[in-house]
Amino acid sequence: MRHWVLLAALSAGCFASAPSQAQSCYESVVRSPSPFLGNHDEIFRLQDGTIWQVQHEYEYLYEYYPSVVICPARGALVINGKRLAVRQLNGSATPDGGSDLIESRIDGEFSGWDGETVFKLANGQIWQQASYDYEYHYAYSPEVFIVRTGGRFMMTVEGVDDPIRVIRLR
């Protein structure tokens, strides 16, 4: 039944324009974060290892490992009959030869941020909080995604809902 609902929801979007578009949609499962919220700037990993970012949506879904249909050519994800705008992050390069995405882990203990927090990553990079915010969340070596958008870097930490703006120190 769930697959039928997903396919029906897509029939008005991904499948309607051309047969080649239909072939670009596929089923998957959101592996992280858990729960998946479906909110703007949320970064998520699918079962196939691809990494995506939600764009201009605020759904507050609180879904644990949800089944989804993803349509990369359309920049769309369908979950529970709702269509969300998304963009793929891994595999994309910027005009200056850099990457839009850095994947790593916090090197050791993480307890959130509180103003000018410095983050040492397992890949050797060092980043600093660049916008004021306070967030307490304890985790040991949580996964980190840093995304470049519009000349700014936003860091998302596993288990923390909102990203924080950061600058690279080293």
Side-chain angles (χ1 to χ4, degrees), residues 36-42 44 53-61 75-77 79 82-87:
F36 173 70
L37 299 177
N39 293 337
H40 180 65
D41 281 342
E42 182 176 21
F44 61 97
Q53 184 177 35
V54 177
Q55 300 286 289
H56 317 294
E57 306 282 351
Y58 293 92
E59 295 295 334
Y60 300 97
L61 298 169
L77 172 130
I79 177 171
K82 294 181 181 186
R83 181 177 170 165
L84 306 180
V86 296
R87 74 176 179 126

Side-chain angles (χ1 to χ4, degrees), residues 40-129:
H40 180 65
D41 281 342
E42 182 176 21
I43 297 171
F44 61 97
R45 183 186 306 269
L46 293 179
Q47 186 173 15
D48 64 3
T50 57
I51 299 171
W52 300 79
Q53 184 177 35
V54 177
Q55 300 286 289
H56 317 294
E57 306 282 351
Y58 293 92
E59 295 295 334
Y60 300 97
L61 298 169
Y62 291 96
E63 293 285 337
Y64 291 86
Y65 309 107
S67 294
V68 298
V69 172
I70 188 87
C71 299
R74 292 279 191 156
L77 172 130
V78 177
I79 177 171
N80 296 336
K82 294 181 181 186
R83 181 177 170 165
L84 306 180
V86 296
R87 74 176 179 126
Q88 188 170 359
L89 295 177
N90 56 344
S92 60
T94 60
D96 63 1
S99 174
D100 279 340
L101 175 69
I102 296 167
E103 298 177 66
S104 190
R105 294 188 161 287
I106 297 288
D107 188 17
E109 292 185 356
F110 170 76
S111 59
W113 47 75
D114 62 5
E116 295 180 354
T117 306
V118 174
F119 308 97
K120 183 176 181 207
L121 303 185
N123 66 5
Q125 295 178 350
I126 298 176
W127 294 79
Q128 183 175 21
Q129 179 180 352

Side-chain angles (χ1 to χ4, degrees), residues 1-10 78 80-81:
M1 178 66 178
R2 179 180 69 217
H3 298 292
W4 184 248
V5 171
L6 289 173
L7 290 175
L10 281 173
V78 177
N80 296 336

